[in-house]
Amino acid sequence: GAVVSQHPSRVICKSGTSVKIECRSLDFQATTMFWYRQFPKQSLMLMATSNEGSKATYEQGVEKDKFLINHASLTLSTLTVTSAHPEDSSFYICSAGVVRPDPPYEQYFGPGTRLTVT
Amino acid sequence: RKEVEQDPGPFNVPEGATVAFNCTYSNSASQSFFWYRQDCRKEPKLLMSVYSSGNEDGRFTAQLNRASQYISLLIRDSKLSDSATYLCVVTTRTGNQFYFGTGTSLTVIP
């Protein structure tokens, strides 16, 4: 099956610093990568969708200057949380989508990164 | 209106019980449908795709009703290991946009 890795799995940082999270599809090329955020006892909230080589599309209410997404290749996307604040503490999950000629389309999730901002 | 709506539960059922979850979606042009399972503090994992003809995988049966715009998941003979949150996912025609339901929490009790 398709494997998606995320690094780091946990990070603790001080308020005001920036944190970069990597998402890699290990054994397939992902046409699209997604970034989600999940607060405790809530569902995943899509933050942005990124296609390789083009600018990410952000969901309403997500600050693109705060959450920088770089999708440099078909196997790597990065999310940088700039000037992190305690309210940015959350579980960040990436997924890699595979859009085939025929549905169903599928996406595979990374194991997530738990960010704690102190 | 939310793209996908689910009853959050929680559903607490005894071992061996049959439990069903429903999920409704608002976009009639939605293309693909899935059920994902998410364990506490873990990433979601694909449980099964949902096809118009309905599909079964062991104790799990998924069905799609396009006319009424809902999908369902039936779990028979519940096991303790089935305890998790079940997420309903709907994609657009292009397949590039995935919409998640809020998830339904299931606890199977010994």
Side-chain angles (χ1 to χ4, degrees):
Chain A
V3 179
V4 176
S5 71
Q6 236 178 288
H7 178 80
S9 57
R10 290 178 181 270
V11 58
I12 300 172
C13 71
K14 292 186 177 179
S15 188
T17 61
S18 295
V19 175
K20 180 186 279 189
I21 303 170
E22 288 189 352
C23 176
R24 293 179 186 273
S25 56
L26 297 185
D27 51 0
F28 68 102
Q29 292 186 326
T31 49
T32 306
M33 286 188 170
F34 305 86
W35 286 96
Y36 296 87
R37 181 166 52 181
Q38 187 175 35
F39 293 106
K41 298 189 178 181
Q42 295 186 25
S43 187
L44 291 100
M45 296 297 294
L46 179 65
M47 298 175 67
T49 303
S50 73
N51 295 297
E52 181 261 342
S54 60
K55 289 184 179 179
T57 301
Y58 290 81
E59 294 297 299
Q60 193 172 10
V62 178
E63 299 173 58
K64 61 181 180 182
D65 294 330
K66 181 172 180 62
F67 298 98
L68 303 178
I69 292 173
N70 186 309
H71 195 156
S73 74
L74 285 170
T75 60
L76 173 63
S77 177
T78 60
L79 168 69
T80 301
V81 183
T82 62
S83 186
H85 291 287
E87 57 266 30
D88 297 325
S89 299
S90 186
F91 191 43
Y92 291 85
I93 306 177
C94 74
S95 73
V98 181
V99 179
R100 309 178 199 281
D102 299 307
Y105 312 112
E106 295 181 9
Q107 61 175 321
Y108 302 92
F109 288 85
T113 296
R114 192 160 299 281
L115 170 65
T116 303
V117 184
T118 60
Chain B
R1 185 181 173 185
K2 289 183 181 178
E3 293 281 345
V4 181
E5 300 212 44
Q6 274 184 267
D7 179 351
F11 285 70
N12 300 315
V13 303
E15 267 187 294
T18 295
V19 62
F21 307 135
N22 285 333
C23 166
T24 59
Y25 60 95
S26 61
N27 188 342
S28 60
S30 296
Q31 185 69 50
S32 301
F33 309 87
F34 307 93
W35 283 103
Y36 278 75
R37 169 194 170 128
Q38 186 176 25
D39 293 291
C40 188
R41 300 170 78 88
K42 300 281 189 180
E43 78 276 19
K45 296 200 173 176
L46 179 64
L47 181 64
M48 57 199 305
S49 302
V50 187
Y51 304 113
S52 296
S53 55
N55 47 305
E56 188 173 311
D57 182 3
R59 298 181 292 107
F60 299 84
T61 301
Q63 291 194 311
L64 166 64
N65 185 318
R66 283 192 183 272
S68 301
Q69 293 182 202
Y70 77 82
I71 67 174
S72 64
L73 177 68
L74 182 77
I75 305 175
R76 291 181 298 276
D77 189 23
S78 300
K79 311 290 185 192
L80 296 177
S81 57
D82 294 334
S83 298
T85 296
Y86 291 84
L87 302 166
C88 158
V89 181
V90 172
T91 75
T92 58
R93 182 170 295 280
T94 61
N96 267 4
Q97 201 75 14
F98 290 74
Y99 296 98
F100 281 80
T102 51
T104 299
S105 173
L106 171 66
T107 302
V108 181
I109 305 164

